mmCIF file with all atom_site columns, all heavy atoms in Angstrom:
data_model
loop_
_atom_site.group_PDB
_atom_site.id
_atom_site.type_symbol
_atom_site.label_atom_id
_atom_site.label_alt_id
_atom_site.label_comp_id
_atom_site.label_asym_id
_atom_site.label_entity_id
_atom_site.label_seq_id
_atom_site.pdbx_PDB_ins_code
_atom_site.Cartn_x
_atom_site.Cartn_y
_atom_site.Cartn_z
_atom_site.occupancy
_atom_site.B_iso_or_equiv
_atom_site.pdbx_formal_charge
_atom_site.auth_seq_id
_atom_site.auth_comp_id
_atom_site.auth_asym_id
_atom_site.auth_atom_id
_atom_site.pdbx_PDB_model_num
ATOM 1  N N   . ASN A 1 207 ? 48.337 -23.016 126.870 1.00 83.00 ? 207 ASN A N   1
ATOM 2  C CA  . ASN A 1 207 ? 49.379 -23.848 126.285 1.00 83.00 ? 207 ASN A CA  1
ATOM 3  C C   . ASN A 1 207 ? 50.480 -22.962 125.719 1.00 83.00 ? 207 ASN A C   1
ATOM 4  O O   . ASN A 1 207 ? 50.215 -22.045 124.944 1.00 83.00 ? 207 ASN A O   1
ATOM 5  C CB  . ASN A 1 207 ? 48.797 -24.711 125.158 1.00 83.00 ? 207 ASN A CB  1
ATOM 6  C CG  . ASN A 1 207 ? 47.759 -25.687 125.683 1.00 83.00 ? 207 ASN A CG  1
ATOM 7  O OD1 . ASN A 1 207 ? 47.937 -26.304 126.730 1.00 83.00 ? 207 ASN A OD1 1
ATOM 8  N ND2 . ASN A 1 207 ? 46.642 -25.816 124.967 1.00 83.00 ? 207 ASN A ND2 1
ATOM 9  N N   . LEU A 1 208 ? 51.718 -23.249 126.133 1.00 85.00 ? 208 LEU A N   1
ATOM 10 C CA  . LEU A 1 208 ? 52.858 -22.497 125.631 1.00 85.00 ? 208 LEU A CA  1
ATOM 11 C C   . LEU A 1 208 ? 53.181 -22.970 124.219 1.00 85.00 ? 208 LEU A C   1
ATOM 12 O O   . LEU A 1 208 ? 53.303 -24.171 123.972 1.00 85.00 ? 208 LEU A O   1
ATOM 13 C CB  . LEU A 1 208 ? 54.078 -22.711 126.531 1.00 85.00 ? 208 LEU A CB  1
ATOM 14 C CG  . LEU A 1 208 ? 55.354 -21.967 126.126 1.00 85.00 ? 208 LEU A CG  1
ATOM 15 C CD1 . LEU A 1 208 ? 55.159 -20.463 126.253 1.00 85.00 ? 208 LEU A CD1 1
ATOM 16 C CD2 . LEU A 1 208 ? 56.524 -22.416 126.994 1.00 85.00 ? 208 LEU A CD2 1
ATOM 17 N N   . VAL A 1 209 ? 53.307 -22.031 123.276 1.00 86.00 ? 209 VAL A N   1
ATOM 18 C CA  . VAL A 1 209 ? 53.602 -22.378 121.889 1.00 86.00 ? 209 VAL A CA  1
ATOM 19 C C   . VAL A 1 209 ? 54.732 -21.502 121.377 1.00 86.00 ? 209 VAL A C   1
ATOM 20 O O   . VAL A 1 209 ? 54.980 -20.408 121.899 1.00 86.00 ? 209 VAL A O   1
ATOM 21 C CB  . VAL A 1 209 ? 52.358 -22.206 120.984 1.00 86.00 ? 209 VAL A CB  1
ATOM 22 C CG1 . VAL A 1 209 ? 51.246 -23.149 121.396 1.00 86.00 ? 209 VAL A CG1 1
ATOM 23 C CG2 . VAL A 1 209 ? 51.871 -20.744 121.010 1.00 86.00 ? 209 VAL A CG2 1
ATOM 24 N N   . GLU A 1 210 ? 55.411 -22.003 120.360 1.00 85.00 ? 210 GLU A N   1
ATOM 25 C CA  . GLU A 1 210 ? 56.426 -21.222 119.679 1.00 85.00 ? 210 GLU A CA  1
ATOM 26 C C   . GLU A 1 210 ? 55.770 -20.472 118.521 1.00 85.00 ? 210 GLU A C   1
ATOM 27 O O   . GLU A 1 210 ? 54.974 -21.054 117.780 1.00 85.00 ? 210 GLU A O   1
ATOM 28 C CB  . GLU A 1 210 ? 57.535 -22.128 119.148 1.00 85.00 ? 210 GLU A CB  1
ATOM 29 C CG  . GLU A 1 210 ? 58.663 -21.372 118.475 1.00 85.00 ? 210 GLU A CG  1
ATOM 30 C CD  . GLU A 1 210 ? 59.739 -22.301 117.929 1.00 85.00 ? 210 GLU A CD  1
ATOM 31 O OE1 . GLU A 1 210 ? 59.678 -23.519 118.188 1.00 85.00 ? 210 GLU A OE1 1
ATOM 32 O OE2 . GLU A 1 210 ? 60.642 -21.798 117.225 1.00 85.00 ? 210 GLU A OE2 1
ATOM 33 N N   . ILE A 1 211 ? 56.065 -19.215 118.398 1.00 86.00 ? 211 ILE A N   1
ATOM 34 C CA  . ILE A 1 211 ? 55.458 -18.384 117.361 1.00 86.00 ? 211 ILE A CA  1
ATOM 35 C C   . ILE A 1 211 ? 56.424 -18.244 116.182 1.00 86.00 ? 211 ILE A C   1
ATOM 36 O O   . ILE A 1 211 ? 57.619 -17.946 116.371 1.00 86.00 ? 211 ILE A O   1
ATOM 37 C CB  . ILE A 1 211 ? 55.094 -16.994 117.902 1.00 86.00 ? 211 ILE A CB  1
ATOM 38 C CG1 . ILE A 1 211 ? 54.000 -17.128 118.965 1.00 86.00 ? 211 ILE A CG1 1
ATOM 39 C CG2 . ILE A 1 211 ? 54.628 -16.074 116.793 1.00 86.00 ? 211 ILE A CG2 1
ATOM 40 C CD1 . ILE A 1 211 ? 53.559 -15.810 119.547 1.00 86.00 ? 211 ILE A CD1 1
ATOM 41 N N   . GLY A 1 212 ? 55.880 -18.461 114.992 1.00 85.00 ? 212 GLY A N   1
ATOM 42 C CA  . GLY A 1 212 ? 56.678 -18.337 113.776 1.00 85.00 ? 212 GLY A CA  1
ATOM 43 C C   . GLY A 1 212 ? 56.324 -17.102 112.991 1.00 85.00 ? 212 GLY A C   1
ATOM 44 O O   . GLY A 1 212 ? 56.133 -16.020 113.545 1.00 85.00 ? 212 GLY A O   1
ATOM 45 N N   . ASP A 1 213 ? 56.185 -17.254 111.685 1.00 86.00 ? 213 ASP A N   1
ATOM 46 C CA  . ASP A 1 213 ? 55.907 -16.116 110.810 1.00 86.00 ? 213 ASP A CA  1
ATOM 47 C C   . ASP A 1 213 ? 54.469 -15.621 110.980 1.00 86.00 ? 213 ASP A C   1
ATOM 48 O O   . ASP A 1 213 ? 53.569 -16.390 111.336 1.00 86.00 ? 213 ASP A O   1
ATOM 49 C CB  . ASP A 1 213 ? 56.122 -16.516 109.347 1.00 86.00 ? 213 ASP A CB  1
ATOM 50 C CG  . ASP A 1 213 ? 57.564 -16.899 109.060 1.00 86.00 ? 213 ASP A CG  1
ATOM 51 O OD1 . ASP A 1 213 ? 58.448 -16.342 109.745 1.00 86.00 ? 213 ASP A OD1 1
ATOM 52 O OD2 . ASP A 1 213 ? 57.795 -17.754 108.178 1.00 86.00 ? 213 ASP A OD2 1
ATOM 53 N N   . PRO A 1 214 ? 54.225 -14.329 110.736 1.00 87.00 ? 214 PRO A N   1
ATOM 54 C CA  . PRO A 1 214 ? 52.850 -13.814 110.785 1.00 87.00 ? 214 PRO A CA  1
ATOM 55 C C   . PRO A 1 214 ? 52.035 -14.327 109.591 1.00 87.00 ? 214 PRO A C   1
ATOM 56 O O   . PRO A 1 214 ? 52.590 -14.698 108.554 1.00 87.00 ? 214 PRO A O   1
ATOM 57 C CB  . PRO A 1 214 ? 53.037 -12.303 110.716 1.00 87.00 ? 214 PRO A CB  1
ATOM 58 C CG  . PRO A 1 214 ? 54.369 -12.095 110.107 1.00 87.00 ? 214 PRO A CG  1
ATOM 59 C CD  . PRO A 1 214 ? 55.217 -13.263 110.498 1.00 87.00 ? 214 PRO A CD  1
ATOM 60 N N   . VAL A 1 215 ? 50.739 -14.347 109.781 1.00 87.00 ? 215 VAL A N   1
ATOM 61 C CA  . VAL A 1 215 ? 49.802 -14.747 108.716 1.00 87.00 ? 215 VAL A CA  1
ATOM 62 C C   . VAL A 1 215 ? 49.068 -13.494 108.252 1.00 87.00 ? 215 VAL A C   1
ATOM 63 O O   . VAL A 1 215 ? 48.462 -12.786 109.067 1.00 87.00 ? 215 VAL A O   1
ATOM 64 C CB  . VAL A 1 215 ? 48.811 -15.812 109.221 1.00 87.00 ? 215 VAL A CB  1
ATOM 65 C CG1 . VAL A 1 215 ? 47.812 -16.157 108.122 1.00 87.00 ? 215 VAL A CG1 1
ATOM 66 C CG2 . VAL A 1 215 ? 49.547 -17.050 109.696 1.00 87.00 ? 215 VAL A CG2 1
ATOM 67 N N   . CYS A 1 216 ? 49.109 -13.210 106.942 1.00 89.00 ? 216 CYS A N   1
ATOM 68 C CA  . CYS A 1 216 ? 48.502 -11.998 106.390 1.00 89.00 ? 216 CYS A CA  1
ATOM 69 C C   . CYS A 1 216 ? 47.186 -12.321 105.673 1.00 89.00 ? 216 CYS A C   1
ATOM 70 O O   . CYS A 1 216 ? 46.950 -13.459 105.255 1.00 89.00 ? 216 CYS A O   1
ATOM 71 C CB  . CYS A 1 216 ? 49.463 -11.327 105.423 1.00 89.00 ? 216 CYS A CB  1
ATOM 72 S SG  . CYS A 1 216 ? 51.054 -10.852 106.179 1.00 89.00 ? 216 CYS A SG  1
ATOM 73 N N   . LYS A 1 217 ? 46.359 -11.326 105.512 1.00 84.00 ? 217 LYS A N   1
ATOM 74 C CA  . LYS A 1 217 ? 45.049 -11.514 104.873 1.00 84.00 ? 217 LYS A CA  1
ATOM 75 C C   . LYS A 1 217 ? 45.191 -12.015 103.436 1.00 84.00 ? 217 LYS A C   1
ATOM 76 O O   . LYS A 1 217 ? 44.467 -12.895 102.996 1.00 84.00 ? 217 LYS A O   1
ATOM 77 C CB  . LYS A 1 217 ? 44.279 -10.186 104.877 1.00 84.00 ? 217 LYS A CB  1
ATOM 78 C CG  . LYS A 1 217 ? 43.838 -9.711  106.243 1.00 84.00 ? 217 LYS A CG  1
ATOM 79 C CD  . LYS A 1 217 ? 43.082 -8.395  106.123 1.00 84.00 ? 217 LYS A CD  1
ATOM 80 C CE  . LYS A 1 217 ? 42.629 -7.888  107.481 1.00 84.00 ? 217 LYS A CE  1
ATOM 81 N NZ  . LYS A 1 217 ? 41.910 -6.592  107.383 1.00 84.00 ? 217 LYS A NZ  1
ATOM 82 N N   . ASN A 1 218 ? 46.100 -11.420 102.721 1.00 80.00 ? 218 ASN A N   1
ATOM 83 C CA  . ASN A 1 218 ? 46.251 -11.740 101.298 1.00 80.00 ? 218 ASN A CA  1
ATOM 84 C C   . ASN A 1 218 ? 47.405 -12.719 101.050 1.00 80.00 ? 218 ASN A C   1
ATOM 85 O O   . ASN A 1 218 ? 47.980 -12.750 99.967  1.00 80.00 ? 218 ASN A O   1
ATOM 86 C CB  . ASN A 1 218 ? 46.476 -10.462 100.494 1.00 80.00 ? 218 ASN A CB  1
ATOM 87 C CG  . ASN A 1 218 ? 45.322 -9.490  100.631 1.00 80.00 ? 218 ASN A CG  1
ATOM 88 O OD1 . ASN A 1 218 ? 44.161 -9.906  100.683 1.00 80.00 ? 218 ASN A OD1 1
ATOM 89 N ND2 . ASN A 1 218 ? 45.633 -8.201  100.692 1.00 80.00 ? 218 ASN A ND2 1
#
Side-chain angles (χ1 to χ4, degrees):
N207 296 318
L208 180 66
V209 297
E210 182 181 353
I211 295 181
D213 297 330
V215 177
C216 301
K217 292 180 180 179
N218 300 322

